[in-house]
Amino acid sequence: MEKKDLKIVFFGTPEFAVESLDALIKNGFNIAGVVTMPDKVAGRGHKLYQSDVKRYAVDHNLHLLQPEKLKSEEFLNSLRELNADLFIVIAFRMLPREVWQMPRLGTFNLHASLLPKYRGAAPINRAVMNGDKETGVTTFFLKHEIDTGDMIMQRKIEILPEDNVGDVHDKLMHLGAGMVVETVDAIIDGTLTTTPQPSGEFTPAPKIFKEDCLIDWNKSSVDIHNHVRGLSPYPAAWTILVEESGRPLECKVFRTNLSDSETNGTKPGTIKIDGKRLMIACSDKWLEILELQPAGKKRMAADAFLLGYHPSYVK
C-alpha cells in the first residue's frame, strides 16, 4: 500500500498533537479528516477559543469535524463517510467504542509516558513532579480501559535536573511526532508488532486542578523543587505570601533553586530575605525562589519582586 492510499483520520486538540499531524502531512500521508474539540468561550474578554489543531487544520485546508457529542449519529455518520483505514489519537478526549472500533486497521494513540507508568491526563507533569530521571512516549492500540491497549513502539528520554515540564513537553512532542510516522510506516509495511502492557502495578497520572498546585512547605526542599518544575510554566505552582502589613498575596512560583543550607528546626514556610535573595524554609532546608508572579502582575525575578514587596511568612 502507498502512503497516499491509506486514509487517516486524526484526533487531537493541543500543540502537542499538532507536531504529529504536521509530521504526517510532511511525510506524504493522506489525512482524510481532522477531529478536534468545539470552539469555546474563554478568558476575561469572552473570546472564542479555537484549538491548536483546528487552527492548523484550517491553515492547511483539511476536512474538519468538531463534534459536541462523540456518540451522536450525525458525527458517527460523518466519520463513516470518510471511509478511513486508520484513526490516530493524540491528546484528545476518551473515545467511545463506536468510534475507535470503526477503522479496519484500528485506532492508535500516542501517549506521553512509558506505559504502563503514568496512565491518565497529566503524564508529563506527574513525571517531573515526582522527580523521575527519565520518561518517554508510547504508541498503543486503543481498547476500552484508558491507556491499557497493546503497545506498538516506545522511546525514552532523560529528564535533566534543570528541565521543567515545558522543556520535557517539547522534547516529547518532537520525539512522539517521529514515532507516530514510524508507527504508520510499520502498519503500511506490515512489519508492525505489538506487546501487551505488563499487568499489575501502574502509576496513575490524574488531571491537575488548582488545589493540586498549592505548595506544601512541610515537604522536603527536593519535593517542593520538583513540584515547581513539574508545573512550570503551566499551570504553575502557587503559594500565599503574607506581607509585613499582614496582607496576603497569592503568587505563582515558576523557578526555584535548591540550597545546602539546613533550616535547623525553623518552621516550614518561614521567609528569609538574604540580600536580594528570597528564601523559604521547607521541612529540611531553605529553598530559594528565583521567579514568581504576584496575582495581577507580570512574572518577575525574585530580586525585582523584593523591590516592591516585603513578605514575612507563608500562609
Side-chain angles (χ1 to χ4, degrees), residues 257-313:
N257 186 44
L258 292 167
S259 78
D260 294 325
S261 180
E262 304 281 347
T263 59
N264 296 318
T266 301
K267 183 181 178 180
T270 300
I271 291 176
K272 178 173 69 174
I273 309 300
D274 182 6
K276 295 182 178 181
R277 300 170 70 197
L278 173 59
M279 314 289 289
I280 302 182
C282 307
S283 65
D284 55 348
K285 297 179 180 180
W286 293 93
L287 187 68
E288 182 178 5
I289 308 300
L290 297 178
E291 281 188 85
L292 68 169
Q293 182 178 9
K297 303 293 183 180
K298 292 183 178 180
R299 178 172 170 174
M300 63 186 76
D303 57 352
F305 171 81
L306 291 174
L307 293 175
Y309 298 94
H310 303 90
S312 54
Y313 64 94

Side-chain angles (χ1 to χ4, degrees), residues 52-312:
D52 294 318
V53 165
K54 176 179 178 175
R55 290 196 294 270
Y56 181 92
V58 170
D59 288 345
H60 291 79
N61 297 311
L62 300 174
H63 182 69
L64 184 67
L65 297 172
Q66 293 182 271
E68 290 282 351
K69 296 180 180 179
L70 298 178
K71 290 185 178 181
S72 75
E73 276 305 311
E74 181 184 2
F75 172 60
L76 294 175
N77 287 334
S78 296
L79 273 184
R80 292 187 189 103
E81 287 170 6
L82 295 176
N83 196 29
D85 304 293
L86 178 70
F87 290 172
I88 299 174
V89 184
I90 303 175
F92 192 66
R93 295 144 62 188
M94 185 175 177
L95 294 184
R97 187 185 300 271
E98 297 95 317
V99 173
W100 59 260
Q101 282 190 338
M102 193 179 294
R104 66 181 184 86
L105 294 176
T107 299
F108 80 80
N109 176 264
L110 172 71
H111 188 69
S113 83
L114 298 172
L115 289 173
K117 198 169 187 180
Y118 297 121
R119 291 176 181 163
I124 311 177
N125 297 93
R126 299 292 181 180
V128 182
M129 290 168 75
N130 290 340
D132 289 5
K133 305 298 183 188
E134 69 174 15
T135 187
V137 284
T138 306
T139 51
F140 68 97
F141 281 113
L142 259 61
K143 57 188 289 189
H144 186 63
E145 297 79 10
I146 190 166
D147 297 339
T148 60
D150 290 351
M151 297 184 295
I152 306 167
M153 295 183 183
Q154 198 167 72
R155 299 282 187 277
K156 295 180 181 181
I157 62 162
E158 183 182 3
I159 300 177
L160 302 174
E162 65 272 19
D163 282 342
N164 64 23
V165 73
D167 300 320
V168 179
H169 169 279
D170 290 352
K171 292 177 186 179
L172 294 180
M173 181 173 67
H174 296 299
L175 181 66
M179 199 169 72
V180 165
V181 170
E182 287 183 55
T183 299
V184 183
D185 279 336
I187 290 172
I188 290 174
D189 296 343
T191 57
L192 179 142
T193 58
T194 60
T195 307
Q197 292 191 37
S199 58
E201 289 296 316
F202 70 93
T203 310
K207 184 177 179 180
I208 292 172
F209 297 94
K210 184 178 179 180
E211 57 267 28
D212 300 315
C213 302
L214 178 63
I215 298 171
D216 180 358
W217 294 101
N218 292 299
K219 292 186 175 182
S220 73
S221 58
V222 169
D223 284 345
I224 295 171
H225 178 67
N226 290 336
H227 181 82
V228 171
R229 291 169 58 223
L231 295 168
S232 180
Y234 183 81
W238 63 280
T239 192
I240 297 177
L241 307 180
V242 180
E243 295 208 83
E244 290 174 349
S245 65
R247 181 172 72 100
L249 181 66
E250 184 175 314
C251 293
K252 292 180 178 179
V253 180
F254 294 99
R255 272 203 315 136
T256 57
N257 186 44
L258 292 167
S259 78
D260 294 325
S261 180
E262 304 281 347
T263 59
N264 296 318
T266 301
K267 183 181 178 180
T270 300
I271 291 176
K272 178 173 69 174
I273 309 300
D274 182 6
K276 295 182 178 181
R277 300 170 70 197
L278 173 59
M279 314 289 289
I280 302 182
C282 307
S283 65
D284 55 348
K285 297 179 180 180
W286 293 93
L287 187 68
E288 182 178 5
I289 308 300
L290 297 178
E291 281 188 85
L292 68 169
Q293 182 178 9
K297 303 293 183 180
K298 292 183 178 180
R299 178 172 170 174
M300 63 186 76
D303 57 352
F305 171 81
L306 291 174
L307 293 175
Y309 298 94
H310 303 90
S312 54

